[in-house]
Amino acid sequence: MNETNSLAAPGLRAGPVPATTLARLDRRLALVEEQATAFLIAAIFAILAVNVALRALGAPLIWADEAAVLLMACAAFLGAAAALARGQHMAVTLLPGALPAPLRAPLAICVDLVVLGFFVTLAWLCWRWFDPVRAFGAQSLQAYSLESYNFIYQERTLTLGLSKLWFWMVMPVFALLSCVHALAALKRDIRRLREGDAR
Amino acid sequence: ADYRMSMIVPPSHQWAKSATEMAGRIKDRTEGRVNILLFPSGQLGPEAQILQQMQTGALDFAFLTMGELANRDNDFGILAAPYLVPDIPTAGRLLEGQTTAALDEKLPAFGLKGLGWALSGMRQVVLRDKVGTAAELSGKKIRTLPYAPELALWTGLKAVPTPMPLPAVYDAFATGQIDGMQIDLEGTWNSNYYANAGMILNSDHGMFPMLAAASGRKWAQIAPGDQAIIAEEFAAETAHIVEAYAGLEQEFLAHLQGTGVPVVKVNRAWFGPAIEAYHDQWKAKSPLFEGLLQEAASLTPQD
Amino acid sequence: MTVGLSFLGLLLAGLPISLALAAVALIYIAVSGNLVLLQSYPQQMFGGLENYGMLALPLFILLGEFMNAGGIGRRLMALALAALPQLRGGLAYVNLGANMMMASILGSTVAQITIMARLAVPEMEKAGYPRDVSAAITAAGGLLAPIIPPSMLFIIYGVIAQVPIGEMFVAGILPGVLIFLGFCGLIGWMAQRRDFPRTPRMTRAERLRAVVEALPAALIPLSIIVSILGGFATPTESAVVASLLAILIGLFVYREMTVADIWPALVSAGRGAAVVLFLIASAQVFAWVITFANVPAAVAAWLSGLTDSPVLFLLLLNLLLLGVGMVMDPIPAIILIVPVFLPVATGVYGLDPIHFGIVLCLNLTLGLVTPPVGTGLFTASLLTRVRAERLAALLVPFLAVAFLVILLIIVWPEITLALARWL
Ligand code: NA
Ligand code: NA
């Protein structure tokens, strides 16, 4: 097990990354995700620091803990998307590492397909969860929840006074970003397979 | 068929014990057609997620505190108002009244079917340092649940309501990060909070209501005969929980009085005008509150 | 069965562990036919992270980054070294001792490994220790965090089992000390066998200089203790207080860091935290799906049908828990297991809930450094760049010692209960 440089395993991603549009998008998005994650961590840090000071003065922020926790969840998913692009998720690399070279690219492609399949499914589940077409097509969001038993648009945070929706939005965003990263990895590995065959 | 019932309290809590017995009776009476599996301790998620899963029909039954419902609708928050009722038996009768009936009618809008109301112990105040008057509560950091009825009480008393997750409370209280907490006698005793307490205000100031509910979506799919059995058993068990707490309160109080921590009985007058102001404030927040106050007054012998 | 095989297959193919757990949860939903769960799946995944205790993770990772950037770790290790007589394997004992001190500050293995991996491993490597061995000792030392109070895990158990958290803390002390002593013995043996370097000879002036230089750095652990015990901050928030101090010291006292170093530290902490947090979110969603299918209760029923003896029950349970700890982190595992097994343990076998809790928590803690799902293992691996397989192999003797202590506790419950009675 180790951090890996491909969705599948280390040492499988040989050579320079081709400068296709998809590859560029992949890298740009990863950069943005990383910066956004760092920004959210900074926000959590600031909220908690301010809260410690204000509590000592006898005026704590009631919403500080909830805000910090929700921002942490958002940071985790954005950062996880970046980690996917950069191959930093923990994986068991015993088998891919032990395979003979010609079998590695096909295995990597299989893994890429599973990852892509997972995130497409997650994106679809998020679509069903937010159900935007029916929700905004209904008379009112209240009416929509009553007929669909889906209360996503009613749920509020406990202390922030915000709709929970704003934080949950990170899930579809995470799914879509990860789909892009998974597609880019798939394309990369297919290209490698072709190059391997040509040799 | 298997049905699933969830609650956030652990298996040792009275609600979970009651649910276990009730599930057994329902299984017997329906000859196994309704087999309720229990998931205590929030195993299937905290209350917000329990509610969401009841709405989709993944979960079938639950014992819910007012936290999530009051957060969505002030009308549910009024049940936790201070000094509605003096004790558990009176609270039990109030929960069988017209106000809760009106609340039951609002439940379909949350995807729920109400099956009864119960409670756990009355709210008390556990403090690090002794206070003589309610004025001395001013500026104190008091741990509360993060929902409007509890926050409003402490803001009104010029204290600083400090919501904090339950696992953090023991340390926060031991180190003085909070000066006190609003909690029941059961928690004070079971979680050893009294060990760091300078005084326990035996205020009995509010009830802690619980709603027994079914998923609206799943309820509609249960055969009418079984529905009747389930409704009967839920009603019987919620009544039993109220009865049980009437006894448990005395038990926990006796335990705590044996610890050497001063347990001081205080009443509504002790808290001064803040209670009246709270009631006035909530009349504006919920159209049902006025009626609830009248109902409560009719149950309480006037002093 | 299908589900177990698909999990193994996905893991072996090299799919990230987090994604394997999340994907298998989906497969399980499809196989079990409870398709209604799909409607809750994304929300459950998000909800798996809505936990205040989890905040400690990114914040202590961040503290580690700042302590590292500001040159603070280096001086603390120098201090620990200056305090120790010349000894074979001295730095390894310093590492363990520092971990013991950290454990009485922190309640989370991952947070502790994050800091100690940065503090101890580079120093040990410089002194001539193999990096993998240094990393393994650091990871093992991290196991002390949730055993020596305060402990995140004991708190969670106390809340779920409704036993006094204070008594859980007291009950953890003796087992923690036993494990510490066991690890010390193991290091003594390793020091001989692997020929660990001796600590270098230091003059009195050198020792004094190390002490003086380390004084500002020592304010950081001190700030954690003061802010928690003084009631200014929760353990989570204490990481923020300590981080602010670390930044100030790094900027103005040691001057090893500039304002420009702050953002890269945030990026790096965000990256490390996200990987671990996403793994937790996936583990939670997995736990939710198998709990929904009532798998834990079925296992409990099966287990309690096997024996009438409490000791045998605990032994069997511990074998099972070793397996659970392999694939799951302690917090989701505790949430899953306690409600199922506690009634069996106390009701059927008459076990003391405190004793039971300590055994449970100790065992599941070991899982933090076992593959395939071991947040502590991967954190240590990520920070020290030692392959996790290698780390896991080196950790085997430490795990064996810790498990031996667990066996002792199973046979002699007094190890956990005596101190609480005596106090
Ligand atoms: Na600790
Ligand atoms: Na593990």
Side-chain angles (χ1 to χ4, degrees), chain B residues 234-252:
Chain B
F234 266 81
E237 200 55 50
T238 46
H240 175 242
I241 291 174
V242 174
E243 243 169 67
Y245 269 101
L248 284 172
E249 289 281 274
Q250 301 312 314
E251 226 174 87
F252 289 120

Side-chain angles (χ1 to χ4, degrees), chain C residues 100-108 112 144-152:
Chain C
M100 192 72 172
M101 290 191 289
M102 285 292 213
S104 58
I105 301 169
L106 303 177
S108 143
Q112 186 160 318
L144 295 168
I147 301 170
I148 303 290
S151 156
M152 203 86 84

Side-chain angles (χ1 to χ4, degrees), chain A residues 114-178:
Chain A
V114 173
V115 173
L116 185 62
F118 173 77
F119 283 109
V120 168
T121 310
L122 186 62
W124 171 66
L125 290 177
C126 288
W127 176 264
R128 284 189 15 161
W129 182 29
F130 282 73
D131 203 9
V133 173
R134 277 178 65 203
F136 292 99
Q139 267 182 342
S140 68
L141 288 173
Q142 181 72 37
Y144 165 75
S145 349
L146 285 184
E147 82 183 41
S148 67
Y149 288 98
N150 181 352
F151 289 78
I152 182 173
Y153 295 96
Q154 263 71 46
E155 184 128 12
R156 299 185 68 75
T157 54
L158 285 171
T159 55
L160 279 165
L162 288 173
S163 172
K164 199 81 182 275
L165 198 71
W166 301 113
F167 299 95
W168 278 335
M169 229 101 98
V170 77
M171 294 307 292
V173 170
F174 166 58
L176 290 177
L177 290 170
S178 300

Side-chain angles (χ1 to χ4, degrees), chain C residues 325-328 367-374:
Chain C
M326 301 258 256
V327 294
M328 208 176 269
L368 278 169
V369 296
T370 61
V373 182

